[in-house]
Amino acid sequence: MIWLRSLIFNILLFGITAVVGIIAIPTLLMPSSAALRVTRLWAQLVILALRYSVGVRVEVRGWENLPPGGVVIAAKHQSAFDTIIWLSLLDKPAYVMKKQLLAIPVYGWHARNAGMIPVDREGGGPALRGMLRAATAAVAGGAQVVIFPEGTRTPVGQRVAYQPGVVAIAAGTGAPVVPVATDSGRVWGRRHFLKRPGLIRIVILPPLPAGLNRTRMLEALQNQIEDTTDRLMAEPQFG
């Protein structure tokens, strides 16, 4: 049954992506606000499909910890779900994403037009400066910059060293850094076809104190995100 429900969801996912992406092509000639509305619609439809085909619900805690205006959200990354959910939750999300993703036809066009922030991991200093300029402009425009400090999806129960890009963005933009924990990986595993019914919890933690240096910021981020994630993993899956 889980296999069949997962198959149905994947069919819906690709179908929603294709239909919305093609119908929304005219928005490529419109301001970024139109592209954001399209990406939000796509994400909301995918989340609905996940709920009704697989039986996955989403619970968000700690909304009061998210400051208004431009912020940097440093989020735990266990699953592809994490790259979708913020599009449906935030007013003006701007993901930091691999430059190669923006080269994908239709998807990349909409992502670029919606104001996503490309990063070339092999580009060295010039690429980092380009990312910082884009992030600074996004924060100045009131966007919520979403970055996954692990740099990639991490299997449930594993910890990896956090990448310093989040520190560079925090220093360059001056925006508050908000840690976020999740247990999404036990419902939608890393590179797994199967999606299991259950409750995905997302916890928005208080912003980090201002003025932390690079080492202390990465340490604080990792400790808060990973410790909270461990506590979530100890909770019953169905809530």
Side-chain angles (χ1 to χ4, degrees):
M1 181 61 73
I2 290 178
W3 186 91
L4 178 59
R5 296 177 78 176
S6 299
L7 176 62
I8 292 171
F9 169 71
N10 278 277
I11 292 171
L12 290 172
L13 171 62
F14 288 112
I16 291 168
T17 301
V19 171
V20 173
I22 292 171
I23 291 177
I25 284 178
T27 64
L28 296 173
L29 303 176
M30 302 177 188
S32 62
S33 58
L36 279 172
R37 286 195 293 271
V38 168
T39 56
R40 183 177 297 112
L41 172 64
W42 170 80
Q44 289 171 342
L45 290 173
V46 171
I47 299 302
L48 283 174
L50 187 63
R51 177 166 186 171
Y52 289 106
S53 63
V54 181
V56 175
R57 295 180 292 114
V58 180
E59 175 185 275
V60 183
R61 307 174 187 171
W63 274 115
E64 68 278 6
N65 294 322
L66 188 63
V71 299
V72 176
I73 294 175
K76 177 70 177 172
H77 195 13
Q78 290 185 338
S79 165
F81 169 87
D82 308 318
T83 66
I84 299 170
I85 188 62
W86 295 105
L87 295 172
S88 72
L89 293 178
L90 300 174
D91 294 329
K92 199 173 182 181
Y95 282 73
V96 176
M97 59 172 53
K98 292 187 293 186
K99 181 181 178 181
Q100 294 86 337
L101 294 176
L102 298 183
I104 299 174
V106 183
Y107 171 84
W109 304 340
H110 289 298
R112 186 181 297 277
N113 196 39
M116 303 304 154
I117 301 169
V119 56
D120 182 358
R121 295 176 179 174
E122 308 298 328
L128 177 61
R129 289 191 289 272
M131 179 189 72
L132 289 178
R133 285 195 297 271
T136 300
V139 168
Q144 300 92 21
V145 174
V146 179
I147 184 170
F148 302 108
E150 293 158 295
T152 187
R153 286 169 287 178
T154 305
V156 170
Q158 291 188 18
R159 294 193 182 197
V160 299
Y162 281 26
Q163 302 299 309
V166 62
V167 178
I169 291 176
T173 63
V177 178
V178 179
V180 174
T182 186
D183 62 353
S184 61
R186 61 178 173 177
V187 167
W188 184 336
R190 180 176 181 261
R191 298 175 182 170
H192 284 191
F193 170 79
L194 295 179
K195 282 76 178 174
R196 302 182 182 279
L199 177 66
I200 292 178
R201 302 170 179 89
I202 298 169
V203 180
I204 303 171
L205 299 165
L208 296 181
L212 295 178
N213 62 30
R214 167 177 167 169
T215 301
R216 292 183 64 194
M217 177 176 286
L218 285 178
E219 181 179 322
L221 269 180
Q222 182 148 4
N223 288 341
Q224 292 189 29
I225 292 174
E226 298 296 336
D227 290 350
T228 304
T229 296
D230 288 345
R231 288 195 292 272
L232 289 177
M233 297 298 295
E235 295 183 16
Q237 186 171 352
F238 283 88

